[in-house]
Amino acid sequence: MEINAILMEILTHMNDSERTYFMNVVELTLPTINKFSSAYLSQKESILPFFTYNPFSVETYTQRNDHLKNRSFRRRELAAHLLEFNQRYHADEQTLHSIEKLNDSRSVVVISGQQAGLMTGPIYTISKILSTIKLAQEQELKLGIPVVPVFWIAGEDHDYQEINHVNLPKDNEIEKHVFPMKEAGKKMVSELHYDKKKLHAWLLETINSYGESPYTRELKEELEHALEVSATFVDIFASLITKLFKGTGLVLVNAADPSLRKLETPYMQQLLLKHGQIRNGMLHSQKELEEQGFTPMLEIDSESMNIFFHQNGERELLYWDETKQIAYLKDSNHQFTVEHLNKLMEEQPENFSNNVVTRPLMQEFMFPTLAFIGGPGEISYWAELGRCFRAMDLEMPPVVPRISLTLLERHIDRTLLELNENIEDVVEKGLEEKRKAWLYKQELETIEATLASYREQYATIHDQFRQVGNTTLPHLRKTFEKNWNLIDKQFTYIHRLIERSAYEKHENMMNKYERVELAVLPKGMPQERVWNIYYFLNKYGLDFVQRLSELPLEHNGKHKIIKL
């Protein structure tokens, strides 16, 4: 039996703690994908004033908790809603207990959010949730109060193109495997209804592309069950996340849920009344960031009210005409007074939703937020929102960088050893330059130089042979020349064979470089932004994510290499 088969047999029969033992965490200090978040991680003094708290300060969470003690929240209504929502997806006792904690006036939450991607989307969704759970556990021990991990599903999002695909590896390239829906338009993801047969076929194609393993059948059954009991993409996402993070106490909330919208009504009305201060505050902060050399992340129209109105099943952004003192919709040309909108929010709360600017404000109204977990992009645009929080008499919570990670498989690690490369260099710089250097050294310096030298030596010897022949048999001069031409052709043929052999050797080596890079830094992008967690679930088991959550992952700003 091959060693891989033996290892698979051993892993299949191990319990959770034994299998987690096979994972090893290595920490690296790496820059992030954008300039601002890298500066934030390094605690650059000039940008910290854009935030209320420094997440790396030891006093941050104590100070934030003291602030929250002086605020009131609709805890019982929120807990009741969260209980009903999470029970839809058969949440376990740990999650139900987490929800019950919210009734405790001392309790706080660590919160993060993301769109409802197909098959949970890129791995960074998983790492974001892991970060949320880890920080909640850490601060519950340190503060001695209930700290609940919450994940905010952006079900109101209407950009289907962002969630409609899974990237698959194919021939050392990235293949975008899309589930098309022409009818998506500007509909909220939580209201998109799909063809179950077509989505089922798409899911099977995706899993089959990962190859057969001892876990494939069970994995397909789990996906098929989630599909069968769901009506929307948010339902599928919530079902899968609930299953993957079983036992962690994670609580889910869907921003588009009608019953949640009812709870949000008084806060949405406040956002409406202060839309001008919110917009102007953001524009002011963007100008200050530009003065420091940073490009703003948010592209917001100067007339945007940062609130969506829903009609005919689609979301339309509300705009404000300062001269006429009236709100309007660009696409349908409808107009509203503030008083009319305020009344509609009371009567039809489900027809209003937040945009990227007001969602963090609504989150702060609804939840006693100890900390917000954000990726590099989120950190960058939250820097633009400080004055927006102050306009609503709110305090921005600590913005904590999510844990970034790379999952390193054994066969990739072995290939790195063969190439005499280390994972640190690959994750930070990639292998493109190393690959080019190898090509130059192996092909141009060695092969070409050697072949040219051999041919020159052979030509010299044959020239000497012809000189002897021309002296003794001058009438056969043309025969000797013809003989050289034939020999030279044979030499050229051998030369091509050698080149082809060298190319094949080079191709094998290039494939090794490409396999490593495709696995950990595909096309120069972090692994967690490209690949999907289900590749790893298929290979290592459905409890893979739960085992990841048991690892010692600290919020210290360092990148985690998890060796499998």
Side-chain angles (χ1 to χ4, degrees):
M1 185 181 289
E2 294 184 359
I3 186 65
N4 286 341
I6 294 172
L7 284 172
M8 184 63 74
E9 183 71 17
I10 293 171
L11 289 171
T12 302
H13 290 90
M14 283 182 176
N15 60 40
D16 290 353
S17 60
E18 288 172 329
R19 292 163 75 186
T20 303
Y21 177 78
F22 272 73
M23 297 184 188
N24 181 34
V25 181
V26 177
E27 294 187 332
L28 308 176
T29 300
L30 297 176
T32 68
I33 61 171
N34 69 46
K35 178 182 175 182
F36 185 88
S37 59
S38 291
Y40 187 66
L41 278 174
S42 64
Q43 303 179 61
K44 186 177 181 180
E45 288 188 13
S46 63
I47 67 171
L48 290 179
F50 289 97
F51 302 88
T52 308
Y53 294 96
N54 178 347
F56 301 105
S57 170
V58 293
E59 300 298 325
T60 286
Y61 300 107
T62 300
Q63 292 173 357
R64 173 62 175 175
N65 185 45
D66 289 342
H67 170 79
L68 292 174
K69 290 175 183 178
N70 298 317
R71 288 188 56 194
S72 60
F73 298 91
R74 303 176 68 179
R75 290 178 179 274
R76 295 204 174 278
E77 297 100 315
L78 179 60
H81 164 71
L82 293 174
L83 181 63
E84 187 277 328
F85 179 76
N86 284 268
Q87 283 180 329
R88 293 180 208 170
Y89 307 105
H90 307 288
D92 63 9
E93 287 300 317
Q94 286 87 342
T95 291
L96 301 185
H97 180 59
S98 288
I99 295 170
E100 178 59 32
K101 287 180 181 179
L102 289 173
N103 287 313
D104 186 332
S105 61
R106 301 173 304 144
S107 67
V108 294
V109 308
V110 174
I111 195 166
S112 61
Q114 194 66 40
Q115 297 106 316
L118 289 180
M119 293 173 63
T120 74
I123 292 172
Y124 63 65
T125 298
I126 302 301
S127 61
K128 188 178 288 186
I129 298 175
L130 286 171
S131 303
T132 306
I133 293 166
K134 285 297 182 182
L135 187 60
Q137 292 172 344
E138 172 192 306
Q139 291 305 315
E140 185 164 275
L141 288 173
K142 289 184 178 180
L143 298 175
I145 60 173
V147 183
V148 178
V150 176
F151 188 76
W152 181 293
I153 305 171
E156 81 279 27
D157 197 271
H158 61 265
D159 192 349
Y160 179 65
Q161 304 303 316
E162 287 191 7
I163 69 159
N164 71 349
H165 62 278
V166 167
N167 292 317
L168 301 176
K170 185 177 181 181
D171 300 327
N172 287 334
E173 295 291 336
I174 301 171
E175 181 182 72
K176 193 174 182 179
H177 187 43
V178 177
F179 182 71
M181 282 191 71
K182 294 180 180 179
E183 64 275 25
K186 292 184 178 180
K187 292 180 180 178
M188 293 191 300
V189 172
S190 59
E191 293 182 352
L192 283 179
H193 295 274
Y194 46 80
D195 184 312
K196 287 194 174 184
K197 288 185 178 179
K198 290 181 179 179
L199 185 54
H200 180 260
W202 182 90
L203 289 170
L204 288 183
E205 286 176 7
T206 304
I207 298 302
N208 287 337
S209 74
Y210 296 145
E212 192 73 21
S213 81
Y215 310 108
T216 303
R217 181 177 177 180
E218 185 182 2
L219 192 65
K220 289 179 179 179
E221 289 173 354
E222 288 290 344
L223 286 168
E224 288 167 352
H225 175 73
L227 176 62
E228 187 58 34
V229 300
S230 301
T232 69
F233 291 111
V234 168
D235 286 337
I236 296 178
F237 180 89
S239 292
L240 296 178
I241 292 295
T242 298
K243 186 75 175 180
L244 292 177
F245 287 93
K246 181 180 179 181
T248 64
L250 179 69
V251 177
L252 301 181
V253 59
N254 174 20
D257 194 283
S259 63
L260 182 68
R261 292 279 174 78
K262 290 180 182 179
L263 291 178
E264 293 176 345
T265 298
Y267 311 125
M268 188 69 79
Q269 290 172 320
Q270 290 184 49
L271 295 173
L272 171 66
L273 294 176
K274 293 190 176 182
H275 69 87
Q277 294 99 307
I278 293 171
R279 179 180 61 252
N280 292 336
M282 184 205 65
L283 293 174
H284 191 130
S285 294
Q286 287 185 329
K287 184 178 179 181
E288 289 182 331
L289 284 164
E290 286 180 315
E291 289 172 354
Q292 290 201 31
F294 297 107
T295 302
M297 291 287 291
L298 301 177
E299 297 180 6
I300 304 296
D301 191 287
S302 61
E303 292 189 341
S304 170
M305 296 178 72
N306 297 301
I307 295 172
F308 283 102
F309 179 70
H310 303 193
Q311 62 175 4
N312 302 320
E314 295 194 345
R315 299 171 87 206
E316 287 193 55
L317 190 63
L318 285 163
Y319 294 88
W320 180 251
D321 188 319
E322 185 64 29
T323 303
K324 296 180 179 179
Q325 291 290 293
I326 200 163
Y328 67 96
L329 301 172
K330 284 186 176 181
D331 293 344
S332 59
N333 206 31
H334 287 182
Q335 296 183 344
F336 311 87
T337 63
V338 170
E339 293 75 18
H340 186 201
L341 285 174
N342 194 63
K343 184 179 180 182
L344 286 175
M345 285 179 176
E346 192 74 42
E347 298 172 349
Q348 306 167 25
E350 69 279 2
N351 286 334
F352 293 86
S353 62
N354 300 291
N355 78 339
V356 66
V357 174
T358 52
R359 187 200 63 77
L361 304 177
M362 183 61 75
Q363 176 181 288
E364 183 63 18
F365 276 124
M366 294 294 294
F367 289 90
T369 306
L370 181 69
F372 168 73
I373 302 288
E378 289 166 311
I379 290 170
S380 298
Y381 79 70
W382 270 62
E384 303 170 27
L385 304 179
R387 285 184 171 81
C388 303
F389 277 88
R390 292 196 287 276
M392 303 308 300
D393 297 319
L394 296 173
E395 181 183 83
M396 183 188 289
V399 178
V400 181
R402 69 165 169 78
I403 293 171
S404 62
L405 54 84
T406 297
L407 301 172
L408 181 62
E409 296 186 87
R410 286 176 181 271
H411 71 278
I412 296 298
D413 204 11
R414 285 197 300 269
T415 304
L416 279 168
L417 288 173
E418 291 176 28
L419 297 174
N420 197 28
E421 301 289 348
N422 61 69
I423 186 63
E424 292 86 350
D425 286 344
V426 179
V427 172
E428 183 172 4
K429 303 173 185 176
L431 287 172
E432 182 67 20
E433 293 304 316
K434 296 285 184 73
R435 189 164 64 239
K436 287 179 180 178
W438 191 94
L439 277 168
Y440 177 79
K441 182 178 181 180
Q442 297 299 321
E443 187 174 346
L444 299 180
E445 281 191 343
T446 305
I447 299 176
E448 290 299 327
T450 300
L451 291 176
S453 173
Y454 288 166
R455 186 185 184 284
E456 185 178 344
Q457 293 176 39
Y458 197 92
T460 299
I461 292 172
H462 196 277
D463 185 59
Q464 294 172 353
F465 173 73
R466 278 185 294 170
Q467 288 179 15
V468 172
N470 292 337
T471 302
T472 57
L473 300 167
H475 61 287
L476 295 178
R477 180 185 298 270
K478 289 185 177 180
T479 301
F480 287 120
E481 289 179 358
K482 185 177 180 180
N483 175 258
W484 164 247
N485 290 334
L486 289 172
I487 293 172
D488 191 43
K489 285 181 179 180
Q490 288 298 309
F491 182 85
T492 300
Y493 173 70
I494 293 171
H495 179 269
R496 288 174 180 171
L497 288 179
I498 294 172
E499 279 188 329
R500 186 182 303 169
S501 176
Y503 178 79
E504 288 174 355
K505 179 182 178 182
H506 142 80
E507 186 176 41
N508 291 334
M509 185 62 75
M510 291 301 98
N511 281 336
K512 290 180 180 180
Y513 276 103
E514 289 169 1
R515 280 198 303 272
V516 169
E517 199 161 45
L518 192 69
V520 300
L521 197 73
K523 300 303 177 185
M525 294 180 284
Q527 179 198 72
E528 57 189 350
R529 301 191 67 83
V530 176
W531 301 131
N532 183 275
I533 196 65
Y534 274 82
Y535 164 82
F536 296 94
L537 296 177
N538 181 62
K539 196 164 184 179
Y540 300 101
L542 271 69
D543 62 345
F544 180 71
V545 171
Q546 293 168 35
R547 286 183 278 128
L548 286 178
S549 69
E550 296 168 4
L551 293 172
L553 305 175
E554 296 182 26
H555 280 84
N556 54 14
K558 293 185 177 181
H559 186 84
K560 276 62 174 171
I561 304 293
I562 302 178
K563 295 188 175 184
L564 308 180

